[in-house]
Amino acid sequence: MESTVESLNAAYQDFISAATVVLESLQSFGGEETPATAAALESFKQKWELFRVACDQAEELVESVRQRIGSECLVDEATGGGASGAASQGIPPISAVRLEQMSKAVRWLVIDLQHGSGGAAGGVAGGGAGHGGGAHLHGPGPTGFDARFSEDGAQ
């Protein structure tokens, strides 16, 4: 994370320096375009693009950390592992494995719905995937594992 911040800071400083060079070049030549101002503008454009790339990388890092923290909080809440966990509110905790299975089932339902196959929705309306309600295209079988995910069988 520190390297990303340092990279972003360096790109920002380069961008500001290039902007300063453009302004000084324009001022020294009375606002007229010269080869020196054209070169300064070209350098400014390059520094701007590098700064945008560094911003995008920093944004990706922040989003990745945000998702990781959110996932950890969700698992803590569901398994009773956090200070304000579900168990402290009278809700029985569930195992992290079961939570992951349910998460995968929901993810596949969303994918099925996005692709227009309404067959998976019947499993949810009738009591959830794998609970015998309605027809469904995918979902956990009688063992409770979802055959679409190879790692489920290994658990």
Side-chain angles (χ1 to χ4, degrees):
M1 184 180 303
E2 190 172 322
S3 66
T4 301
V5 171
E6 289 172 0
S7 174
L8 180 60
N9 185 41
Y12 175 74
Q13 294 302 325
D14 289 346
F15 171 64
I16 295 301
S17 295
T20 302
V21 170
V22 167
L23 293 175
E24 289 173 350
S25 177
L26 287 172
Q27 187 177 25
S28 66
F29 292 106
E32 300 206 14
E33 181 143 345
T34 65
T37 58
L41 281 171
E42 186 58 36
S43 175
F44 173 77
K45 288 177 188 176
Q46 290 172 353
K47 301 301 181 188
W48 166 246
E49 287 302 317
L50 292 173
F51 178 62
R52 285 182 50 185
V53 167
C55 287
D56 289 345
Q57 290 172 343
E59 186 176 6
E60 288 173 10
L61 175 67
V62 168
E63 181 62 21
S64 170
V65 170
R66 185 190 70 77
Q67 288 178 355
R68 182 175 175 191
I69 290 171
S71 295
E72 289 174 2
C73 288
L74 178 64
V75 169
D76 284 349
E77 282 293 320
T79 61
S84 64
S88 67
Q89 300 171 2
I91 301 171
I94 61 172
S95 73
V97 172
R98 183 68 181 133
L99 179 63
E100 182 65 22
Q101 290 171 347
M102 290 188 295
S103 174
K104 289 176 183 177
V106 168
R107 188 176 21 206
W108 276 100
L109 287 171
V110 168
I111 291 170
D112 286 346
L113 289 172
Q114 287 174 339
H115 287 68
S117 73
V124 172
H131 293 291
H136 58 279
L137 296 176
H138 305 290
T143 62
F145 294 112
D146 194 333
R148 292 169 297 166
F149 302 101
S150 60
E151 65 270 20
D152 281 349
Q155 294 175 352

